[in-house]
PDB file of all heavy atoms in Angstrom:
ATOM      1  N   GLY A 189      34.773  65.055  69.734  1.00 94.00           N
ATOM      2  CA  GLY A 189      35.922  65.170  70.624  1.00 94.00           C
ATOM      3  C   GLY A 189      36.806  63.942  70.598  1.00 94.00           C
ATOM      4  O   GLY A 189      37.409  63.588  71.609  1.00 94.00           O
ATOM      5  N   LEU A 190      36.882  63.280  69.443  1.00 92.00           N
ATOM      6  CA  LEU A 190      37.670  62.052  69.301  1.00 92.00           C
ATOM      7  C   LEU A 190      38.731  62.219  68.226  1.00 92.00           C
ATOM      8  O   LEU A 190      38.631  63.096  67.377  1.00 92.00           O
ATOM      9  CB  LEU A 190      36.773  60.886  68.883  1.00 92.00           C
ATOM     10  CG  LEU A 190      35.664  60.474  69.834  1.00 92.00           C
ATOM     11  CD1 LEU A 190      34.722  59.503  69.132  1.00 92.00           C
ATOM     12  CD2 LEU A 190      36.251  59.861  71.082  1.00 92.00           C
ATOM     13  N   GLN A 191      39.713  61.340  68.246  1.00 91.00           N
ATOM     14  CA  GLN A 191      40.641  61.191  67.132  1.00 91.00           C
ATOM     15  C   GLN A 191      39.895  60.416  66.041  1.00 91.00           C
ATOM     16  O   GLN A 191      39.023  59.594  66.339  1.00 91.00           O
ATOM     17  CB  GLN A 191      41.877  60.392  67.559  1.00 91.00           C
ATOM     18  CG  GLN A 191      42.681  61.043  68.651  1.00 91.00           C
ATOM     19  CD  GLN A 191      43.503  62.200  68.108  1.00 91.00           C
ATOM     20  OE1 GLN A 191      43.887  62.210  66.947  1.00 91.00           O
ATOM     21  NE2 GLN A 191      43.749  63.174  68.962  1.00 91.00           N
ATOM     22  N   ALA A 192      40.233  60.639  64.784  1.00 87.00           N
ATOM     23  CA  ALA A 192      39.538  59.963  63.673  1.00 87.00           C
ATOM     24  C   ALA A 192      39.585  58.444  63.815  1.00 87.00           C
ATOM     25  O   ALA A 192      38.600  57.763  63.548  1.00 87.00           O
ATOM     26  CB  ALA A 192      40.138  60.397  62.335  1.00 87.00           C
ATOM     27  N   GLN A 193      40.712  57.914  64.256  1.00 88.00           N
ATOM     28  CA  GLN A 193      40.824  56.452  64.390  1.00 88.00           C
ATOM     29  C   GLN A 193      39.979  55.911  65.546  1.00 88.00           C
ATOM     30  O   GLN A 193      39.756  54.708  65.640  1.00 88.00           O
ATOM     31  CB  GLN A 193      42.284  56.008  64.527  1.00 88.00           C
ATOM     32  CG  GLN A 193      42.990  56.548  65.739  1.00 88.00           C
ATOM     33  CD  GLN A 193      43.692  57.869  65.498  1.00 88.00           C
ATOM     34  OE1 GLN A 193      43.339  58.611  64.597  1.00 88.00           O
ATOM     35  NE2 GLN A 193      44.691  58.149  66.315  1.00 88.00           N
ATOM     36  N   GLY A 194      39.459  56.779  66.408  1.00 91.00           N
ATOM     37  CA  GLY A 194      38.604  56.342  67.498  1.00 91.00           C
ATOM     38  C   GLY A 194      37.135  56.252  67.132  1.00 91.00           C
ATOM     39  O   GLY A 194      36.318  55.812  67.944  1.00 91.00           O
ATOM     40  N   LEU A 195      36.779  56.650  65.910  1.00 90.00           N
ATOM     41  CA  LEU A 195      35.369  56.636  65.512  1.00 90.00           C
ATOM     42  C   LEU A 195      34.814  55.232  65.294  1.00 90.00           C
ATOM     43  O   LEU A 195      33.679  54.950  65.692  1.00 90.00           O
ATOM     44  CB  LEU A 195      35.159  57.454  64.240  1.00 90.00           C
ATOM     45  CG  LEU A 195      35.153  58.958  64.426  1.00 90.00           C
ATOM     46  CD1 LEU A 195      35.059  59.650  63.072  1.00 90.00           C
ATOM     47  CD2 LEU A 195      34.011  59.388  65.316  1.00 90.00           C
ATOM     48  N   ALA A 196      35.558  54.359  64.654  1.00 91.00           N
ATOM     49  CA  ALA A 196      35.040  53.022  64.337  1.00 91.00           C
ATOM     50  C   ALA A 196      34.561  52.284  65.584  1.00 91.00           C
ATOM     51  O   ALA A 196      33.446  51.739  65.582  1.00 91.00           O
ATOM     52  CB  ALA A 196      36.073  52.200  63.573  1.00 91.00           C
ATOM     53  N   PRO A 197      35.342  52.254  66.673  1.00 95.00           N
ATOM     54  CA  PRO A 197      34.829  51.563  67.865  1.00 95.00           C
ATOM     55  C   PRO A 197      33.546  52.195  68.411  1.00 95.00           C
ATOM     56  O   PRO A 197      32.637  51.484  68.843  1.00 95.00           O
ATOM     57  CB  PRO A 197      35.974  51.690  68.878  1.00 95.00           C
ATOM     58  CG  PRO A 197      37.196  51.931  68.062  1.00 95.00           C
ATOM     59  CD  PRO A 197      36.733  52.674  66.850  1.00 95.00           C
ATOM     60  N   VAL A 198      33.454  53.512  68.370  1.00 94.00           N
ATOM     61  CA  VAL A 198      32.251  54.190  68.863  1.00 94.00           C
ATOM     62  C   VAL A 198      31.055  53.866  67.963  1.00 94.00           C
ATOM     63  O   VAL A 198      29.962  53.568  68.449  1.00 94.00           O
ATOM     64  CB  VAL A 198      32.478  55.710  68.960  1.00 94.00           C
ATOM     65  CG1 VAL A 198      31.179  56.435  69.265  1.00 94.00           C
ATOM     66  CG2 VAL A 198      33.536  56.026  70.013  1.00 94.00           C
ATOM     67  N   LEU A 199      31.263  53.907  66.660  1.00 93.00           N
ATOM     68  CA  LEU A 199      30.173  53.575  65.736  1.00 93.00           C
ATOM     69  C   LEU A 199      29.736  52.129  65.907  1.00 93.00           C
ATOM     70  O   LEU A 199      28.539  51.819  65.843  1.00 93.00           O
ATOM     71  CB  LEU A 199      30.599  53.854  64.292  1.00 93.00           C
ATOM     72  CG  LEU A 199      30.803  55.337  63.972  1.00 93.00           C
ATOM     73  CD1 LEU A 199      31.470  55.490  62.612  1.00 93.00           C
ATOM     74  CD2 LEU A 199      29.504  56.103  64.036  1.00 93.00           C
ATOM     75  N   ASN A 200      30.678  51.228  66.157  1.00 96.00           N
ATOM     76  CA  ASN A 200      30.323  49.823  66.393  1.00 96.00           C
ATOM     77  C   ASN A 200      29.488  49.664  67.658  1.00 96.00           C
ATOM     78  O   ASN A 200      28.549  48.866  67.694  1.00 96.00           O
ATOM     79  CB  ASN A 200      31.580  48.957  66.459  1.00 96.00           C
ATOM     80  CG  ASN A 200      32.204  48.770  65.106  1.00 96.00           C
ATOM     81  OD1 ASN A 200      31.542  48.825  64.076  1.00 96.00           O
ATOM     82  ND2 ASN A 200      33.509  48.570  65.087  1.00 96.00           N
ATOM     83  N   VAL A 201      29.812  50.434  68.701  1.00 96.00           N
ATOM     84  CA  VAL A 201      29.007  50.408  69.931  1.00 96.00           C
ATOM     85  C   VAL A 201      27.594  50.893  69.632  1.00 96.00           C
ATOM     86  O   VAL A 201      26.608  50.316  70.114  1.00 96.00           O
ATOM     87  CB  VAL A 201      29.666  51.255  71.040  1.00 96.00           C
ATOM     88  CG1 VAL A 201      28.705  51.510  72.195  1.00 96.00           C
ATOM     89  CG2 VAL A 201      30.932  50.582  71.540  1.00 96.00           C
ATOM     90  N   LEU A 202      27.466  51.954  68.823  1.00 93.00           N
ATOM     91  CA  LEU A 202      26.141  52.473  68.480  1.00 93.00           C
ATOM     92  C   LEU A 202      25.326  51.473  67.665  1.00 93.00           C
ATOM     93  O   LEU A 202      24.104  51.391  67.810  1.00 93.00           O
ATOM     94  CB  LEU A 202      26.268  53.804  67.747  1.00 93.00           C
ATOM     95  CG  LEU A 202      26.817  54.951  68.594  1.00 93.00           C
ATOM     96  CD1 LEU A 202      27.055  56.185  67.729  1.00 93.00           C
ATOM     97  CD2 LEU A 202      25.898  55.267  69.759  1.00 93.00           C
ATOM     98  N   VAL A 203      25.979  50.688  66.818  1.00 95.00           N
ATOM     99  CA  VAL A 203      25.282  49.616  66.085  1.00 95.00           C
ATOM    100  C   VAL A 203      24.849  48.526  67.066  1.00 95.00           C
ATOM    101  O   VAL A 203      23.704  48.063  67.032  1.00 95.00           O
ATOM    102  CB  VAL A 203      26.170  49.037  64.962  1.00 95.00           C
ATOM    103  CG1 VAL A 203      25.564  47.765  64.386  1.00 95.00           C
ATOM    104  CG2 VAL A 203      26.386  50.075  63.864  1.00 95.00           C
ATOM    105  N   HIS A 204      25.763  48.134  67.943  1.00 96.00           N
ATOM    106  CA  HIS A 204      25.447  47.091  68.924  1.00 96.00           C
ATOM    107  C   HIS A 204      24.294  47.523  69.841  1.00 96.00           C
ATOM    108  O   HIS A 204      23.455  46.698  70.222  1.00 96.00           O
ATOM    109  CB  HIS A 204      26.693  46.756  69.742  1.00 96.00           C
ATOM    110  CG  HIS A 204      26.485  45.642  70.709  1.00 96.00           C
ATOM    111  ND1 HIS A 204      26.260  44.346  70.317  1.00 96.00           N
ATOM    112  CD2 HIS A 204      26.441  45.647  72.064  1.00 96.00           C
ATOM    113  CE1 HIS A 204      26.099  43.589  71.380  1.00 96.00           C
ATOM    114  NE2 HIS A 204      26.202  44.348  72.456  1.00 96.00           N
ATOM    115  N   ALA A 205      24.240  48.815  70.165  1.00 94.00           N
ATOM    116  CA  ALA A 205      23.168  49.341  71.017  1.00 94.00           C
ATOM    117  C   ALA A 205      21.878  49.594  70.229  1.00 94.00           C
ATOM    118  O   ALA A 205      20.882  50.037  70.788  1.00 94.00           O
ATOM    119  CB  ALA A 205      23.625  50.638  71.684  1.00 94.00           C
ATOM    120  N   ARG A 206      21.929  49.337  68.923  1.00 91.00           N
ATOM    121  CA  ARG A 206      20.788  49.506  68.018  1.00 91.00           C
ATOM    122  C   ARG A 206      20.342  50.955  67.870  1.00 91.00           C
ATOM    123  O   ARG A 206      19.180  51.232  67.587  1.00 91.00           O
ATOM    124  CB  ARG A 206      19.620  48.613  68.433  1.00 91.00           C
ATOM    125  CG  ARG A 206      19.992  47.165  68.347  1.00 91.00           C
ATOM    126  CD  ARG A 206      18.836  46.277  68.633  1.00 91.00           C
ATOM    127  NE  ARG A 206      19.292  44.899  68.563  1.00 91.00           N
ATOM    128  CZ  ARG A 206      18.632  43.895  69.028  1.00 91.00           C
ATOM    129  NH1 ARG A 206      17.473  44.085  69.598  1.00 91.00           N
ATOM    130  NH2 ARG A 206      19.107  42.678  68.930  1.00 91.00           N
ATOM    131  N   PHE A 207      21.281  51.909  68.070  1.00 90.00           N
ATOM    132  CA  PHE A 207      21.012  53.306  67.758  1.00 90.00           C
ATOM    133  C   PHE A 207      21.228  53.534  66.269  1.00 90.00           C
ATOM    134  O   PHE A 207      20.489  54.250  65.619  1.00 90.00           O
ATOM    135  CB  PHE A 207      21.920  54.228  68.581  1.00 90.00           C
ATOM    136  CG  PHE A 207      21.659  55.676  68.342  1.00 90.00           C
ATOM    137  CD1 PHE A 207      20.594  56.308  68.960  1.00 90.00           C
ATOM    138  CD2 PHE A 207      22.466  56.414  67.495  1.00 90.00           C
ATOM    139  CE1 PHE A 207      20.332  57.650  68.726  1.00 90.00           C
ATOM    140  CE2 PHE A 207      22.219  57.750  67.262  1.00 90.00           C
ATOM    141  CZ  PHE A 207      21.151  58.373  67.873  1.00 90.00           C
ATOM    142  N   LEU A 208      22.270  52.890  65.731  1.00 91.00           N
ATOM    143  CA  LEU A 208      22.525  52.891  64.291  1.00 91.00           C
ATOM    144  C   LEU A 208      22.185  51.521  63.745  1.00 91.00           C
ATOM    145  O   LEU A 208      22.446  50.508  64.394  1.00 91.00           O
ATOM    146  CB  LEU A 208      24.001  53.177  63.978  1.00 91.00           C
ATOM    147  CG  LEU A 208      24.559  54.539  64.349  1.00 91.00           C
ATOM    148  CD1 LEU A 208      26.039  54.598  63.977  1.00 91.00           C
ATOM    149  CD2 LEU A 208      23.793  55.646  63.678  1.00 91.00           C
ATOM    150  N   ARG A 209      21.632  51.487  62.551  1.00 91.00           N
ATOM    151  CA  ARG A 209      21.392  50.209  61.882  1.00 91.00           C
ATOM    152  C   ARG A 209      22.701  49.701  61.289  1.00 91.00           C
ATOM    153  O   ARG A 209      23.003  48.515  61.353  1.00 91.00           O
ATOM    154  CB  ARG A 209      20.345  50.364  60.795  1.00 91.00           C
ATOM    155  CG  ARG A 209      20.079  49.055  60.059  1.00 91.00           C
ATOM    156  CD  ARG A 209      18.910  49.163  59.156  1.00 91.00           C
ATOM    157  NE  ARG A 209      17.714  49.296  59.984  1.00 91.00           N
ATOM    158  CZ  ARG A 209      16.570  49.793  59.554  1.00 91.00           C
ATOM    159  NH1 ARG A 209      16.450  50.185  58.314  1.00 91.00           N
ATOM    160  NH2 ARG A 209      15.535  49.892  60.349  1.00 91.00           N
ATOM    161  N   SER A 210      23.479  50.624  60.705  1.00 93.00           N
ATOM    162  CA  SER A 210      24.751  50.243  60.098  1.00 93.00           C
ATOM    163  C   SER A 210      25.590  51.494  59.864  1.00 93.00           C
ATOM    164  O   SER A 210      25.088  52.610  59.940  1.00 93.00           O
ATOM    165  CB  SER A 210      24.516  49.536  58.765  1.00 93.00           C
ATOM    166  OG  SER A 210      23.892  50.422  57.852  1.00 93.00           O
ATOM    167  N   TRP A 211      26.872  51.285  59.564  1.00 93.00           N
ATOM    168  CA  TRP A 211      27.757  52.369  59.155  1.00 93.00           C
ATOM    169  C   TRP A 211      28.812  51.778  58.235  1.00 93.00           C
ATOM    170  O   TRP A 211      29.074  50.579  58.256  1.00 93.00           O
ATOM    171  CB  TRP A 211      28.382  53.083  60.355  1.00 93.00           C
ATOM    172  CG  TRP A 211      29.472  52.321  61.037  1.00 93.00           C
ATOM    173  CD1 TRP A 211      29.334  51.406  62.037  1.00 93.00           C
ATOM    174  CD2 TRP A 211      30.865  52.388  60.738  1.00 93.00           C
ATOM    175  NE1 TRP A 211      30.542  50.899  62.379  1.00 93.00           N
ATOM    176  CE2 TRP A 211      31.509  51.496  61.596  1.00 93.00           C
ATOM    177  CE3 TRP A 211      31.631  53.107  59.837  1.00 93.00           C
ATOM    178  CZ2 TRP A 211      32.887  51.304  61.577  1.00 93.00           C
ATOM    179  CZ3 TRP A 211      33.002  52.911  59.824  1.00 93.00           C
ATOM    180  CH2 TRP A 211      33.616  52.026  60.686  1.00 93.00           C
ATOM    181  N   ALA A 212      29.404  52.623  57.416  1.00 92.00           N
ATOM    182  CA  ALA A 212      30.454  52.186  56.487  1.00 92.00           C
ATOM    183  C   ALA A 212      31.203  53.411  55.988  1.00 92.00           C
ATOM    184  O   ALA A 212      30.736  54.539  56.119  1.00 92.00           O
ATOM    185  CB  ALA A 212      29.843  51.443  55.299  1.00 92.00           C
TER     186      ALA A 212
END
């Protein structure tokens, strides 16, 4: 339910929360 440009901040939060190890 996001705009494509809104994904990077969400993915960064998930990395910071240690749900994701990394994304690229």
Side-chain angles (χ1 to χ4, degrees):
L190 298 169
Q191 298 284 332
Q193 62 269 24
L195 283 175
V198 171
L199 293 169
N200 287 333
V201 167
L202 293 173
V203 169
H204 184 67
R206 297 185 181 165
F207 182 80
L208 295 179
R209 179 171 291 159
S210 63
W211 75 273

